Amino acid sequence: MHFPGAFFLALLPSLALAHPHPDSALEKRSQTLIPTSCFDSTSALTTFFEYHYPWGQTHNGAAIMWSGHSQILSPGTLTLWSTYTGSSPYSYDSGTVYAKQQFTVAQGSGLTFSADFIAPVAKGTWPAFWLTGANSWPPEVDIAEWKGNGMINFNTFNTSSAVQVTQIPYNNPGSFHTIRAVLEDENGSDVSIKFYMDGQQTAHQYAHGLVGQPLWLIIDLQMEGSSGSPGPKSKTNYEIKNLQVTQP
Ligand SMILES: *[C@@H]1O[C@H](CO)[C@@H](O)[C@H](O)[C@H]1NC(C)=O
Ligand SMILES: *[C@@H]1O[C@H](CO)[C@@H](O)[C@H](O)[C@H]1NC(C)=O
């Protein structure tokens, strides 16, 4: 496009009049830290996520994690799946990803995490969507955790023993359910966390001293461990779509 320069010069004063106060600089703008397009393709996935845990391929259960078990099988949906290998000490191959960026509830601010899940609830399957301290443990916030008993947990750890746990029935596990956690600075030190499932608030917990602490976001399909054993010998899928992280 080639417009004469005079056209733009003529336009500028009217634009300035239309916006006499450049209030965009003062306005609080919501910021998208991870967009819902993050599972549209493998390249979108690897733009925002790394495979495995921040510390490696294993954690506190019977699975060893492989990038091949964390895939975009249909655009928009991340599928993590586990298979039984019977090996020792890790008797399952499974998948985990974590966000490349760390998340921090800043003074006077907050974070909202949301996504839709199809999560297995069979004995020995332990999918989760959770935050863990990047510099120490705890803090930990389990935005959603399924421990192989037909229930869903929402948890906040102040210390390893001071833990708030809310557990409610998880119906229709074969359908997508929307999980959301809204974290807000409560008083410059503690963080208020409201948990929601399918638009209904399920829990309201407080994390001691969480303001300013960097967190990893992890999506994993761990096996056995806290979800009991033996786990399934057949393939297990855990699906996630519409994941979004925003800051108010
Ligand atoms: C924040 O509130 C908690 C109680 O919920 C209190 O223990 C803590 O001292 C408060 N912190 C500040 C900075 O006011
Ligand atoms: C964790 O800390 C918060 C904020 O100080 C407090 O409200 C909550 O009762 C504590 N939870 C437990 C289980 O100690």
Side-chain angles (χ1 to χ4, degrees), residues 64-204:
I64 183 160
M65 305 303 185
W66 303 98
S67 57
H69 283 246
S70 312
Q71 291 198 13
I72 307 299
L73 298 181
S74 75
T77 303
L78 171 66
T79 302
L80 308 181
W81 75 90
S82 70
T83 50
Y84 181 73
T85 61
S87 302
S88 178
Y90 299 104
S91 47
Y92 290 87
D93 286 341
S94 191
T96 293
V97 299
Y98 68 96
K100 287 186 171 179
Q101 61 191 296
Q102 297 173 358
F103 300 97
T104 305
V105 175
Q107 294 263 350
S109 188
L111 293 166
T112 297
F113 298 85
S114 64
D116 302 336
F117 298 87
I118 292 181
V121 294
K123 183 179 180 181
T125 62
W126 190 11
F129 179 55
W130 55 295
L131 299 164
T132 189
N135 296 338
S136 66
W137 182 88
E140 175 175 334
V141 178
D142 300 319
I143 301 170
E145 179 186 32
W146 297 263
K147 296 168 96 166
N149 56 3
M151 312 286 276
I152 181 170
N153 281 48
F154 310 95
N155 315 313
T156 300
F157 288 67
N158 289 343
T159 68
S160 57
S161 57
V163 188
Q164 296 150 86
V165 175
T166 302
Q167 187 177 68
I168 64 169
Y170 190 70
N171 299 319
N172 305 318
S175 305
F176 277 104
H177 292 281
T178 301
I179 303 296
R180 183 157 56 99
V182 179
L183 283 66
E184 292 174 297
D185 175 4
E186 177 71 11
N187 65 2
S189 165
D190 293 346
V191 172
S192 151
I193 307 166
K194 290 181 179 144
F195 299 82
Y196 300 83
M197 181 164 70
D198 298 328
Q200 306 264 29
Q201 189 177 313
T202 54
H204 189 183

